[in-house]
Amino acid sequence: MADSDHPNSQTPQTLVDGNVLAAKSLARFGIDRMFGVVGIPVTSLANRAVSLGVRFIAFHNEQSAGYAASAYGYLTGRPGVLLTVSGPGCVHGLAGMSNAMANAWPMIMISGSCDQRDFGRGDFQELDQIEAVKPFSKLSVKAKDIREIPESVFRVLDCAGSGRPGGCYLDLPSDVLHQTIPESEAETLLAAVEGSFAKRESVSSLPNSEIEKGVSLLRHAERPLIVWGKGAAYARAEAPLKKLVETTGIPFLPTPMGKGLLPDTHELAATAARSLAIGKCDVALVVGARLNWLLHFGEPPKWSKDVKFILVDISDEEIELRKPHLGLVGDAKRVVELINKEIKDDPFCFGKSHPWVEAIAKKTKENVSRMEAQLAKDVVPFNFLTPMRIIRDAILTLGSPAPVLVSEGANTMDIGRAVLVQTEPRTRLDAGTWGTMGVGLGYCIAAAVASPDRLVVAVEGDSGFGFSAMEVETLVRYQLPVVVIVFNNGGVYGGDRRNPEEISGPYKDDPAPTSFVPSAGYHTLIEAFGGKGYLVGTPEELKSALSESFSAQKPAVINVIIDPYAGAESGRLQHKN
């Protein structure tokens, strides 16, 4: 009898463990990028994912990695994935997941956790992570057995991107990652999950009568305005919005991260006439933007008490909360397409000579002229405006594809929003809905990974940069085309701005709570890792550094020394501090 015919002779089955199955599940369901910090018990999971074609970007801190994952979800429209260790790693990662929730961006956080049988006994990095993440996640799932991994992975990925996007959490206990099953069974589990969850397409169920009402409101308005936010950017609504604006001649106002869906230089852009536009409009079509603090809650005195809002949002809960004159629930791109379709049958256009359009254009011209007069001056030591103008002009010379601009900091972000010009969609990332500081380097890395054909330019305050400055090593390690420009004014808002009466007490000789080391050498940090650093204090030095770094498209930090008394405390939110 041949050996192969022996009743006890069987081909050994190949076994896969939970790490392999989790990696296979992520790859099978479309994940090709991950961000995170490895360690117990997830190092093998990261390595297995890389072997299956997933690019893993390793960070120094889960907070920055989480911010990267959240921004990656926004830029690509697919959930960004953060991988963390257990306990404190999970807690650090919550910064990114909560940021994803606040901004309505799709992201999942995957954390290892302690051995299930040792939970409650004080195990290594023990934490009830499911409970810890609940306030910050749409869905929290624990795979309690290896066979639950494929479905768990799919559930969090599916939920993160459905409806209003947001953060979801997957908990993978150490013992589950070490369990094994035959490879054939793993394939059966993956195929079953793949087959049972057919990809859902979002189909608008809006009755045509609601679209007709919205179009009628716009048609009969005296001073209409179209407002859009990053929800419209996420929905890739730029083409139908362009058609709507240019068909109807209605002025438009983007929120900060909505800038670029139509160029800031468009003749109907009302950004430079914002106060007039929102203060006097009688009908406002708001697409993919919430009536929160960024839009003054849609209330007087910033808005007219008689304004009629047409609110387009993916979430009916948002419509219920804001109670607009008309709510249109659905995907921003699809709803605007329906509006365009309705207008096509009976077109209307306000025209350049319409009093409202003329008023917006006149105010825009006046304000731009006033700003340009200030920008034209070369002020040394630098204020914020002089270097910002030089940076704007350098970016505009690059043409298309336009760089992705990352901006954070109080004065730096506020002034940059008014000066820097966005010409293409999804090319501005800033502190966002939550006003989150510390997002800068994480966002830079996400943008470089998501859009490898674009240069990434960060314009950061020195305080904002400090949150994640160590990630410049990550830029160098992966040779990402990122130029970080640090506006160095010696502290939070600037140097010591205290009144004399505030400088008292036993620690009066300590530096002010807002102060950093004056003229700190931030540019030398990246040089320690092999990147390029520049120290600049004059227009010529800044122009030279920008030209050289933009051409090289290599990791660089430009340390721009700013007058410590330029700018204002709390930027434009002084009333809240």
Side-chain angles (χ1 to χ4, degrees), residues 43-228:
T43 305
S44 180
L45 171 52
N47 288 332
R48 294 295 187 176
V50 170
S51 71
L52 290 169
V54 178
R55 189 181 191 193
F56 188 89
I57 308 296
F59 280 70
H60 290 271
N61 183 289
E62 293 93 351
Q63 188 177 40
S64 291
Y67 292 144
S70 68
Y72 185 84
Y74 166 66
L75 292 169
T76 64
R78 306 190 309 275
V81 179
L82 167 66
L83 182 66
T84 84
V85 301
S86 48
C90 173
V91 172
H92 292 169
L94 285 177
M97 193 162 73
S98 55
N99 189 63
M101 284 295 288
N103 286 290
W105 294 345
M107 170 190 163
I108 67 167
M109 179 168 78
I110 302 173
S111 296
S113 60
C114 71
D115 196 307
Q116 292 178 96
R117 67 178 174 271
D118 291 329
F119 182 79
R121 302 171 62 200
D123 196 20
F124 175 70
Q125 295 189 335
E126 179 185 310
L127 175 69
D128 188 343
Q129 292 166 199
I130 291 289
E131 283 300 315
V133 304
K134 273 185 179 177
F136 310 103
S137 64
K138 290 178 68 178
L139 174 68
S140 306
V141 177
K142 175 181 279 197
K144 297 178 180 178
D145 181 271
I146 185 174
R147 292 167 180 83
E148 297 176 8
I149 288 176
E151 183 173 357
S152 298
V153 169
F154 187 90
R155 285 179 64 198
V156 291
L157 287 172
D158 183 59
C159 181
S162 63
R164 166 165 284 171
C168 292
Y169 174 69
L170 174 59
D171 192 278
L172 296 176
S174 176
D175 53 303
V176 172
L177 290 172
H178 289 103
Q179 289 174 355
T180 60
I181 56 173
E183 187 174 32
S184 58
E185 184 180 357
E187 285 301 319
T188 300
L189 290 167
L190 287 165
V193 172
E194 215 171 14
S196 63
F197 290 96
K199 185 173 176 59
R200 294 194 301 267
E201 290 191 13
S202 177
V203 179
S204 175
S205 59
L206 273 174
N208 200 54
S209 59
E210 296 296 286
I211 299 294
E212 289 172 0
K213 284 180 192 174
V215 170
S216 179
L217 284 166
L218 292 172
R219 185 191 306 275
H220 296 105
E222 294 181 13
R223 298 176 302 281
L225 180 68
I226 301 172
V227 179
W228 61 70

Side-chain angles (χ1 to χ4, degrees), residues 4 29 86 143 160 172 232 234 239 259 273 275 285 294 345 394 423 449 455 518:
S4 59
F29 301 136
S86 48
L172 296 176
Y234 175 79
K259 282 159 65 76
S275 295
L285 172 64
L294 285 164
D345 296 334
T423 58
V449 172
L455 178 68

Side-chain angles (χ1 to χ4, degrees), residues 222-223 251 267 269-270 272-274 276-277 280 351-367:
E222 294 181 13
R223 298 176 302 281
E267 61 182 355
R274 188 178 192 273
L276 172 66
K280 297 294 185 183
K352 294 179 182 179
S353 60
H354 188 280
W356 172 240
V357 178
E358 277 192 336
I360 294 289
K362 181 183 177 186
K363 178 58 72 173
T364 295
K365 186 176 180 181
E366 289 173 0
N367 289 345

